[in-house]
Amino acid sequence: MNVILGGGDMGKTTILDALALLFSPTNGTTVSETDYWQRDTDQEFVIEATVSLPESAGIENQRRMAYPWHWDDKQAVLPTGADGEEVEVGAPVYVIRVRGTTDLEPSWEVVQPDGVIDHLSVGVRRQIGLVRLSSDERNDRDLRLVYGSALDRLLADQGFRARIGKEMAKVPLDKELGQESRKALTSLSDKMGKNRLPTGLTLGLTSGQGPSIGSLIGLLAQHQGKDIPLSSWGAGTRRMAALEVASTTAGNASPTTIDEIERGLEPYRLRKLIGILESTKGQVFLTTHSAVAIACVGQQGHLWYLDGKGNIGHLPAAKIEVQQRRDPETFLAKLAVVGEGKTEVGLLNFLLGKAFNGNPLDEGVRICDGQGSSAVLDLLETFAEANLECAGLVDDEGEKLGRWKALKATMGDRLLQWPKVATEGFIITAIPDEKLEELVENDEEGLTGYRMRSLAERLGIEAKDWSSIKAALTAKQKSLKALIIEAATGATDGASDKDKKAWKKHAQNWFKRDGGGEELAAKMVSLGAWPKVKDTILPLINAILAAVDRSSITGLPT
């Protein structure tokens, strides 16, 4: 199961449309000028895939023999070596494609290992049996008896349509006409006879190009004692029913594409459907905007992320599983911006809110809590290895220096790692000494007293007033700024074993909490630290703006 993720209008549905065209069960499929790159119909487009097919697909029974390639776990390779001897590399596969020609006609082809291009028959494509559930399809084709549908493959009765047509032709429909209508039909027959045209006119069911009699036949289901077409049931029920029909067909290996899998489904049914898809034999390609869907994708599913530049990359479960469960919206944004913790997330919320002059989410920029340095490193590396755009703000904890250096070389300005310091330390260092008492104050949330107590505890004194704290600092030859940084970061250097846990918790009453990063950022501006830190921070902000086609800034808008 392949789950294709990304922001809006990135091209997720286009991937499903490409698969639908490649496996189209009819030659009546058309292409338009909008299917061509920038509407340039002088240049062909090609959709190509390497596929493993069961014998039931009949690709070996075409007019000309289709010879397989071999799969080496990465690509299709020639089945023979340089000496002409057959090489058993892996499973036999076929390379098939559809070309959009300069005449706006699709051409389905098989690429042979010797370079010869042969036609891919409609019979093979029907046997492959793509199951397609689009986001706007009302009458799902797989619940009706159209050529190549799941119901058509399930019944597998080639003479059924002919027998239906024969029986329907016997129905005297003209007898149901009113008297005046029958006279009009008789008059028309007489006039045609005078002009030596066919006579003996009557009414009956016919079919021709386009809809056939079979397409009018679909599955019915009982509802309160009445037979109701399944195509008239709810969107979620229709989708699940179509997949059940498809899974019952021989081999159960048809590829499936589902656009917006969550459409029409409650969370509990969505979880159930994803569980069914993960266990199916055929490949599944689906898109989703649902955090529930992402969170419940298991080890049998593969997440793929499509970024704003059209790059698509695999996100290995081992490296993103924690983030996938905790904050699945990370993978639904145009650009994911990952902060190491609550302080960084709050700081980014403040800065990007100013830079965008509004909520960055409105532009598809999602600010995510990475929950620690190691988890953020794994997540950002996964994006980088897949050539996908993301951004990050992290502390420098002096660990895994080589990996961080390599990641910085790849991400450039989209990664900001404070130079040998934590976020709180970098910003507090830039605040003037005479403003530090204002930094401590937070009467609105009732945190001033707790912060004063944390400073006193670290100095080993009972009193928590400024006079006592400053006197103790003088005695210890320590600066107030250094003490505040230690308390704000939860540093435990110098603490006894029994005090280490309490000292670490001090940070929760400072800026390592919900809203703490926003407070620190606001005080960074109001207390005069911004001019000293902006040259370090602005490259990250402008790199994020550039990723979503916004102009760069030279300062924070007021």
Side-chain angles (χ1 to χ4, degrees), residues 147-195:
Y147 285 105
S149 70
L151 181 60
D152 184 37
R153 298 193 307 278
L154 174 68
L155 300 180
D157 189 339
Q158 300 299 322
F160 184 54
R161 291 181 182 80
R163 295 196 298 273
I164 292 174
K166 184 176 180 180
E167 291 301 316
M168 296 300 291
K170 297 178 181 179
V171 178
L173 297 179
D174 56 320
K175 291 185 178 180
E176 301 300 324
L177 289 172
Q179 184 174 2
E180 293 300 319
S181 298
R182 288 200 299 271
K183 287 182 179 179
L185 190 61
T186 301
S187 175
L188 175 62
S189 181
D190 293 340
K191 290 181 178 179
M192 290 182 64
K194 292 178 181 179
N195 292 295

Side-chain angles (χ1 to χ4, degrees), residues 343 347 423-424 427-428 431 439 511 515-525:
T343 306
L347 183 68
T423 301
E424 296 88 349
I427 293 175
I428 294 173
I431 293 177
L439 173 67
F511 309 113
E518 286 89 344
E519 180 192 353
L520 180 61
K523 288 181 174 178
M524 171 187 69
V525 175

Side-chain angles (χ1 to χ4, degrees), residues 67-70 76-81 84-89 112-114:
Y67 293 92
W69 300 66
H70 282 293
V77 297
L78 293 175
T80 56
E85 294 293 324
E86 185 171 345
V87 179
E88 291 294 338
V89 178
Q112 303 275 31
D114 61 0

Side-chain angles (χ1 to χ4, degrees), residues 196-260:
R196 297 185 179 182
L197 294 172
T199 59
L201 301 181
T202 186
L203 296 179
L205 292 178
T206 64
S207 63
Q209 290 186 347
S212 66
I213 291 178
S215 68
L216 302 177
I217 300 173
L219 288 176
L220 308 179
Q222 284 275 319
H223 180 66
Q224 297 181 353
K226 301 292 184 181
D227 288 331
I228 305 297
L230 270 176
S231 59
S232 296
W233 290 57
T237 299
R238 296 199 316 273
R239 288 178 153 214
M240 295 189 75
L243 291 172
E244 288 294 341
V245 173
S247 66
T248 310
T249 57
N252 190 20
S254 297
T256 301
T257 65
I258 307 176
D259 199 12
E260 298 179 12

Side-chain angles (χ1 to χ4, degrees), residues 16-32 35-36 45 47 98-101 103-108 119 122 125-126 130 132 141 147-148 210:
L16 304 189
D17 290 341
L19 290 169
L21 180 58
L22 178 63
F23 295 116
S24 174
T26 173
N27 286 335
T29 303
T30 59
V31 294
S32 68
D35 293 317
Y36 293 75
F45 70 79
I47 302 166
V98 58
R99 287 188 301 112
T101 68
D103 296 325
L104 274 70
E105 294 286 345
S107 176
W108 289 270
H119 177 67
V122 66
R125 304 199 305 273
R126 285 177 182 166
L130 176 74
R132 184 189 185 195
R141 65 184 304 276
Y147 285 105

